[in-house]
Amino acid sequence: MIGLLVVTAVPAEAEAVRAGVSDPTVTVVPVGVGPAVAGAATARLLALAEAAGRPYRGVVSAGVAGGFAGPVEVGGTVLGTHAVAADLGAESPDGFIPVDELGMPAELLGAGRSIAADPHLLAALGTALPAATVGPVLTVSTVTGTVAGTTELRRRHPDAVAEAMEGYGVAVAAAQATVPFVELRTVSNPVGPRDRDAWRLREALAALTKAAAALG
């Protein structure tokens, strides 16, 4: 049977997902931190599965995330409508310029800076997780840790519900392989000034196990 590929950044997240999944066709793999390594590793896993004649029916980027205060609280679950490359672009005296506004030819932009989740996967998970907060999830290479940084992100992405480090890379790999993609996150901390003492990783991982039951 052909199932889902679920990729996480670190082993603790993978273990939390595995603890909640009962479907033996769901494969869970920790692939590393950040969009580059996550994208490369996911692309390799998809290519190997396709070469073996057993392509995955979907890819889920799963794990913990920072949540924007208001849309989602610590311990809450998030479903990403879009994976957004929030820091892909250029600085300028007038502020940040997103990559798709730099005047490059469209063919050089690839998937652009925002990749939509597969509507069928998103709808299925939304039905199984009715309490989840649904909205764009930002992918960053540097986690936001200041009030100024948080304010700027909220200004540029007012609908964003969470921030993580792998979703966009995984989404690009899935798009290149024409495999459906969705992002599932649980919130361990608010986006804002970095305060490790305020993180609730244990609670977020427990919530991830509970949410992972929706994957099968």
Side-chain angles (χ1 to χ4, degrees), residues 42-56:
T42 301
R44 180 176 182 273
L45 291 168
L46 293 175
L48 288 172
E50 183 176 6
R54 298 178 60 83
Y56 291 104

Side-chain angles (χ1 to χ4, degrees), residues 136-156:
V137 176
L138 307 183
T139 298
V140 294
S141 295
T142 302
V143 171
T144 305
T146 65
V147 171
T150 305
T151 300
E152 175 63 11
L153 274 186
R154 293 308 300 270
R155 183 189 68 80
R156 298 199 326 251

Side-chain angles (χ1 to χ4, degrees), residues 82-111:
H82 296 76
V84 182
D87 54 9
L88 183 61
E91 291 184 337
S92 82
D94 297 321
F96 180 79
I97 305 173
V99 68
D100 53 2
E101 296 178 13
L102 290 176
M104 297 180 185
E107 61 269 19
L108 298 182
L109 296 177

Side-chain angles (χ1 to χ4, degrees), residues 6-21 28-31 62-63 205 208-209 212:
V6 183
V7 294
T8 70
V10 298
E13 294 168 321
E15 292 168 7
V17 172
R18 291 189 190 110
V21 170
V28 186
V29 184
V31 294
L205 289 171
L208 186 60
T209 295

